[in-house]
Amino acid sequence: MDEIFGIPAPLLFGQLLLGLINGAFYAMLSLGLAVIFGLLNIINFTHGAQFMMGAFAAWMLLAWAGLGYWWALVLAPIIVGFTGIILEKLFISRLYKLDHLYGLLLTLGLGLIIEGVFRNQFGSSGLPYRIPAELSGAWDLGFMYMPIYRGWVVVAALFFCISTWLIIEKTRLGAYLRAATERAELVQAFGINVPRMITLTYGAGVALAAVAGVLAAPIYSVNPQMGSNLIIVVFAVVVIGGMGSILGSIITGFGLGIVEGLTKVFYPEASATVIFVIMAIVLLARPAGLFGRA
Amino acid sequence: MELGRRSMLGAFAVSTLGAAMPRMGRAQAANTIRIGVMNDQSGTYKDNTGPGSVACARQAIEEFGAQGFNVELIAADHQNKPDVGVNLARQWYDQGIDMILDIPTSSVGLAVQNVAKEKNKIAINVGSATSDLTGAQCSPSGLHWAYDTYQLARTTGGATVKAGGDTWFFITADYAFGHALERDTGDFVKAAGGRILGAVRTPFPGTTDFSSFLVQAQATRAKVIGFANAGSDTINCIKQAAEFGITRRGTKLAALLMFITDVHSIGLEQGQGLVCSETFYWDLNDRTRAFTRRVLPKMPNLYPNMIHAGCYSATLHYLKTVKDMGVAAAKAATGTDIVNRMKAMPTEDDAFGAGTIRQDGRKLHPAYLLEVKSPAESKAPWDYFKVLQTTPAGEAFRPLNQGNCALVRS
C-alpha cells in the first residue's frame, strides 16, 4: 500500500490536503458569487477585484494604520463591503430589470477599472504581507510539512461558509431573503424594505470576497492581478455547482480543489484546465449544474 | 474578454500616436533624433520594465544634454503581445522614430527585431531574456543590452552547483521562455557534474498555487529547486517555499530570473538567502550609487533594476554614436550602419562601467551572483543584495562561436 497508481501514498495524501486548502478559497469566493446571483440575479464579475481589494485593505491597514492581521480580518470586509454597497446603490441597482448580460458587462467593466487603478497606484509586482506570528510555523505530519496558516485557512473558510449557509437557510432574515428572490413585490407588501435588503446582501457577498482576500494575502503575492487569476476558475466552480445554489457552491469548491490537486500530481500540465473540462461535461449532462434546480 | 479589451487598448494607443505624430514640424525633423520606448506599461512586467525604463532613458537624454541636435522620447505599451508590438514598430519606423528601445517579453522582442531588420532600422533590446536575439535570430541592426537566458543560467546555475548544490529539480513555466531557461540551466548543471532529478511544467498563465509542485520537488530530495519562471510566478513560488519550510530543511532555491523589484515585493523575511543574478545592482560602487541618486526622483517608487539601468546605458551610447557620426549623417544612415558604429565604439557609463558590443549584437559587461540579505543585514531602504561572485564580461555570455549567428560566420 506504499503506492497508489504509481504515486507514493504520502505524496498523494499531501496533495489531497493541499487541494482541500485551495478548495477553501474556491468555496469562499463561489459562495459570495452564489449569494449575489441567488438574490440579485447579477453575475458579479467584480468579485475578483473585490477579493484583491480585501488583500490590499489588509496591507493598507498594516502599512498605514499599523493594524495587524486580526484587525484586518474584521475591518477589511467591512471597508470593502461598504464600497460594494456604494457600487450597488450607484450602478448595479439600475440593472435589476434588464437582461443578465448588462449586469455582467457592467461588473466586468468595474472590475477592470478597479484593477487598473490599483495597478497604477501600487505597480504590478505586488506587496509583501507576512503570516501573523500566532499562525506561523508548521506541523510535521510525517507525510508532509503542513504550515499552520494553511490549516487555519481551511478552518476559517469552513466557518464562514457554514455560517452563511445557516443564516440563509435557518434564520428569519434568511427566510426574508429567500422570499424576496421568489416574489419581491409580495415581501415588500408585508412591510419589508426589499431594496435595502438587496443592497446589504450585495455588501455581504462582497465582504465574503474581501475575507477571502485577507486570508489569501499572506500566501499569495498581494498584487492587482491576484483576483483576475482566480475569478475565471471560481466562475467555473459556480457553474458546476449550479448558479445560485449556496450549498452546491461550497461542496463543489472544496471538491474541485481536491480534483485540481490530484491533477497536479498525475498530469501537471492539465491542472489549469481540468476544472473547465469538468464544467463542459457537467453542462452537457446536467445543464443546471450538480446542485442547481432546472 | 481579455483579448477584446487589450486589442482595443492597442488600437487606441496606435490611433492616438498616429494623430499626434504629423503635428511635429517637418523643418525640425532633420535635426531631431526620436527614440521610442516600447514595453509593458500596464501588465505583469510593468514594474520590471515599464515607466522605470522610460525614466532611465529620459535620464540619459538629460545627461547627454544639448549637443547640437534635439532628442525626443515617446513611450507606448505593447501589452506583451507580439502582434501589438509589430504593428507599433512598423508605424513608429514609418513615422520617423530612429530607434526602438527596451521591448521586453521574448516573443515580442524577437518579432520587433525582425521588423527592424526588414526595415533596416535600429532596435535595442534591453528587457527580453532570450539569447536567440543574438543567436540563431540575430540581426545586423539589432542589439541586446542587459542580460540573457544563457548568462542567467551560467551565473546562477553554474555557481550553485559549485557551491555544492549538485542535484536539481525544476519548476518551469510551461512556455518557450521557461523551457529555454530550464534547458540552458540544466546543461550547466550537468556540465558541472550535477544531476537533474526531475521537472514539473506549470500552466502559464493561470497558476497561483505552487505548493503541490513544491511538495513534489521536496519529495525527490533534490538539493536545489530551480524556478524557471518570472514575475509573480517566481514571487509566489518563493513565498510558498518559505511557508512550507522548504528552505529551513536545507533545500536551496535558485530563482533563475529575478529582479530587485521582485525582491522588494517578496520581502526580506521570506526572500533571505535566495540566490539570483543581475548585471546591475544600484549599490555596487560609487558610480552605480551616483547614477541611482540622480535617477531616483524620476523613478516610479522603485530602485532601478538591470533593465532600467540598461535603458539608460543603451540610450547614452546611442546618442554618443549619433554625435560622433554627426546628426545629419546619422539620420541618413541605415540602421545597420549606425549599429556597426555603435559596435566599433567602446561603451562607458555609470551603470555598467566600461563595456563593448560584440559582432553578434551582444553587449558585454560583468554579471553578478547576488544573495538576498536577511532583514538584520539590510541597513537602508532597498539594501537587498550582497554580491557573492562576479563573472567577468568575457565569460558571462555565450561564446561568440556557439550562438549560430549569421553575422559571425560571414
Side-chain angles (χ1 to χ4, degrees), chain A residues 10-125:
Chain A
L11 186 58
L12 202 61
F13 290 140
Q15 299 299 335
L16 280 174
L17 205 55
L18 292 171
L20 201 64
I21 298 164
N22 284 337
F25 284 109
Y26 295 156
M28 281 203 70
L29 284 171
S30 57
L31 177 66
L33 281 176
V35 168
I36 291 171
F37 182 78
L39 299 171
L40 280 75
N41 244 346
I42 287 282
I43 306 171
N44 185 34
F45 256 92
T46 323
H47 219 66
Q50 280 149 345
F51 165 75
M52 176 271 287
M53 284 168 77
F56 267 93
W59 179 85
M60 289 174 197
L61 285 168
L62 183 67
W64 297 347
L67 296 172
Y69 179 81
W70 302 105
W71 278 108
L73 208 52
V74 178
L75 292 178
I78 295 174
I79 298 166
V80 179
F82 190 70
T83 64
I85 288 175
I86 295 172
L87 281 187
E88 200 274 345
K89 277 275 172 217
L90 283 179
F91 303 111
I92 298 170
S93 59
R94 293 159 206 277
L95 298 178
Y96 293 139
K97 296 203 167 52
L98 298 173
D99 192 75
H100 288 322
L101 198 59
Y102 290 90
L104 189 151
L105 285 174
L106 174 77
T107 52
L108 177 69
L110 286 172
L112 292 176
I113 292 170
I114 295 170
E115 211 183 290
V117 168
F118 273 81
R119 191 156 42 211
N120 237 14
Q121 206 59 36
F122 298 99
S124 60
S125 45

Side-chain angles (χ1 to χ4, degrees), chain A:
Chain A
M1 275 306 283
D2 276 3
E3 287 198 354
I4 301 166
F5 302 123
I7 305 285
L11 186 58
L12 202 61
F13 290 140
Q15 299 299 335
L16 280 174
L17 205 55
L18 292 171
L20 201 64
I21 298 164
N22 284 337
F25 284 109
Y26 295 156
M28 281 203 70
L29 284 171
S30 57
L31 177 66
L33 281 176
V35 168
I36 291 171
F37 182 78
L39 299 171
L40 280 75
N41 244 346
I42 287 282
I43 306 171
N44 185 34
F45 256 92
T46 323
H47 219 66
Q50 280 149 345
F51 165 75
M52 176 271 287
M53 284 168 77
F56 267 93
W59 179 85
M60 289 174 197
L61 285 168
L62 183 67
W64 297 347
L67 296 172
Y69 179 81
W70 302 105
W71 278 108
L73 208 52
V74 178
L75 292 178
I78 295 174
I79 298 166
V80 179
F82 190 70
T83 64
I85 288 175
I86 295 172
L87 281 187
E88 200 274 345
K89 277 275 172 217
L90 283 179
F91 303 111
I92 298 170
S93 59
R94 293 159 206 277
L95 298 178
Y96 293 139
K97 296 203 167 52
L98 298 173
D99 192 75
H100 288 322
L101 198 59
Y102 290 90
L104 189 151
L105 285 174
L106 174 77
T107 52
L108 177 69
L110 286 172
L112 292 176
I113 292 170
I114 295 170
E115 211 183 290
V117 168
F118 273 81
R119 191 156 42 211
N120 237 14
Q121 206 59 36
F122 298 99
S124 60
S125 45
L127 300 159
Y129 194 86
R130 283 170 60 183
I131 293 173
E134 300 83 19
L135 298 174
S136 57
W139 294 302
D140 202 336
L141 301 181
F143 58 90
M144 72 171 288
Y145 201 64
M146 170 77 181
I148 295 171
Y149 187 81
R150 298 254 175 170
W152 155 250
V153 167
V154 176
V155 173
L158 275 175
F159 169 77
F160 284 110
C161 288
I162 293 171
S163 315
T164 310
W165 181 76
L166 284 177
I167 288 170
I168 290 179
E169 296 293 331
K170 304 287 173 204
T171 66
R172 202 175 179 82
L173 175 70
Y176 288 154
L177 286 170
R178 279 178 289 133
T181 54
E182 299 290 333
R183 292 287 293 276
E185 322 80 50
L186 205 61
V187 178
Q188 186 119 25
F190 282 121
I192 292 161
N193 187 343
V194 173
R196 191 208 285 156
M197 202 160 73
I198 285 179
T199 306
L200 291 177
T201 304
Y202 185 76
V206 171
L208 270 174
V211 171
V214 178
L215 289 175
I219 305 184
Y220 304 127
S221 158
V222 179
N223 70 51
Q225 300 89 261
M226 65 190 290
S228 52
N229 291 340
L230 262 179
I231 198 67
I232 303 293
V233 176
V234 173
F235 268 102
V237 172
V238 174
V239 171
I240 295 169
M243 291 297 287
S245 161
I246 308 286
L247 198 59
S249 68
I250 299 174
I251 295 171
T252 349
F254 280 103
L256 288 175
I258 291 173
V259 170
E260 197 188 52
L262 292 179
T263 318
K264 283 177 178 169
V265 186
F266 290 109
Y267 190 60
E269 286 88 339
S271 58
T273 30
V274 65
I275 286 180
F276 300 101
V277 174
I278 295 175
M279 182 180 85
I281 295 170
V282 168
L283 284 179
L284 285 175
R286 274 184 69 98
L290 293 178
F291 297 86
R293 281 171 296 171

